[in-house]
Amino acid sequence: MAPPVVRGTAAWRYFGDFRDLLLAGQVLVLQVAHPVVAAGVRDHSGYTEDPWTRLMRTGASLSIYVYGGAEGARFEADRLRELHRTFTGFADGRRYSALNPGAYAWVHATLVMAPVDAQRFFGRPLSPSELDEYYAQMCDVGRLLGVRERDLPASWPEFEQYYRETISSFGPNETIRTLFDTIATVGKPSPRLPDAWWRPIRKAHARAQMFLIRATVPAELRTRLGLEWTAADERRFARTRRMVRLLGTLVPPPLRTAHMRWVGKLNVWLRAHPRAYRFLP
């Protein structure tokens, strides 16, 4: 039995760490590399038209089921299952559902691995005891979301093997190409932002995001996707890691997750007071 996600436990410390944001692109690529997830995103996601809203909603959802308390997590889990129940269609002549157990578990698995990867790249790798506690807590979160117990391995070492084996079956697909195109052509987050300002910002953001994707996607998948990686890129990433690691040491541990905890509490309050949404922009 895993301890609840409360102050001081592994999931509380690492799931919402600000450095996790650096792996947002990697997580998206790994999720849509799964053929069922790719089909669902292609047919039902509006991220290409309004990626900023989609990003904010995803962050709010993640914050609730980890930092929103047991009641908030149950509410969000019920909402997500009901939403995904409507995401069905056909891919390669076969009917798919977003609640396909393997695909649903895989999406959760990418969210489980991302904070561990973030610490490995940009912080201090989790100890074996921290990994055991963290994984047990995230499995409990997965069960709240409807991930069947048998669809995720029982221990962290088994999970790592499952993760590697799943990625070994992935390759290029249309949704990944669309994701890369969206990164390069994403619209302004606000219509008030002048085009002359946004164009260089978008170019720099796309360059940085694609660099982080190339750096953090597993090497075998990076090769299959045709993403170039050079010795110069490796040196640049090493410098980036050192810089982010230093920044992380300057931020007190409780503040590293403060943004996600605040968003989680805010969203729980908004769920209980839906009329407040009228006052949001």
Side-chain angles (χ1 to χ4, degrees), residues 12-24:
W12 190 94
R13 290 199 307 272
Y14 297 117
F15 186 82
D17 191 296
F18 71 94
R19 289 165 287 193
D20 297 350
L21 295 172
L22 297 173
L23 269 68

Side-chain angles (χ1 to χ4, degrees), residues 43-44 87-91 94-97:
D43 295 343
H44 299 283
F87 293 171
T88 60
F90 288 88
R94 296 182 179 180
R95 187 170 182 81
Y96 73 83
S97 166

Side-chain angles (χ1 to χ4, degrees), residues 11 19-20 24-25 29 31 36 52 72 85 91 104 108 112 128 145 153 156 210 226 230 247 255 281:
R19 289 165 287 193
D20 297 350
V29 170
Q31 288 182 354
V36 174
W52 301 109
R85 204 167 274 124
Y104 200 63
H108 184 65
V112 171
L145 291 168
W156 178 258
M210 288 304 302
T230 66
L247 176 63
L255 294 184

Side-chain angles (χ1 to χ4, degrees), residues 156-166:
W156 178 258
E158 292 172 306
F159 175 80
E160 286 187 299
Q161 181 178 353
Y162 149 80
Y163 201 77
R164 289 192 299 267
E165 290 176 352
T166 303

Side-chain angles (χ1 to χ4, degrees), residues 45-192:
S45 175
Y47 81 93
T48 56
E49 291 79 21
D50 191 3
W52 301 109
T53 298
R54 185 68 196 143
L55 178 63
M56 288 187 290
R57 287 176 178 171
T58 299
S61 180
L62 294 176
S63 68
I64 290 175
Y65 68 68
V66 174
Y67 297 110
E71 184 177 348
R74 282 192 293 270
F75 180 93
E76 185 65 7
D78 291 342
R79 186 190 73 82
L80 286 175
R81 283 198 298 271
E82 189 61 32
L83 174 66
H84 284 86
R85 204 167 274 124
T86 65
F87 293 171
T88 60
F90 288 88
D92 299 327
R94 296 182 179 180
R95 187 170 182 81
Y96 73 83
S97 166
L99 292 180
N100 170 281
Y104 200 63
W106 174 248
V107 169
H108 184 65
T110 63
L111 299 175
V112 171
M113 182 61 87
V116 177
D117 275 348
Q119 292 302 314
R120 176 169 59 89
F121 287 129
F122 306 114
R124 176 187 60 80
L126 275 66
S127 69
S129 61
E130 287 177 317
L131 285 170
D132 288 342
E133 180 179 82
Y134 170 79
Y135 183 62
Q137 289 180 308
M138 294 308 295
C139 282
D140 282 352
V141 170
R143 283 189 281 274
L144 271 177
L145 291 168
V147 177
R148 302 180 308 185
E149 187 168 359
R150 63 181 179 273
D151 289 324
L152 284 179
S155 68
W156 178 258
E158 292 172 306
F159 175 80
E160 286 187 299
Q161 181 178 353
Y162 149 80
Y163 201 77
R164 289 192 299 267
E165 290 176 352
T166 303
I167 290 175
S168 69
S169 68
F170 292 158
N173 65 45
E174 176 188 347
T175 307
I176 293 176
R177 290 189 289 271
T178 301
L179 171 62
F180 291 164
D181 289 342
T182 301
I183 290 172
T185 61
V186 63
K188 297 183 292 186
S190 169
R192 297 178 181 178

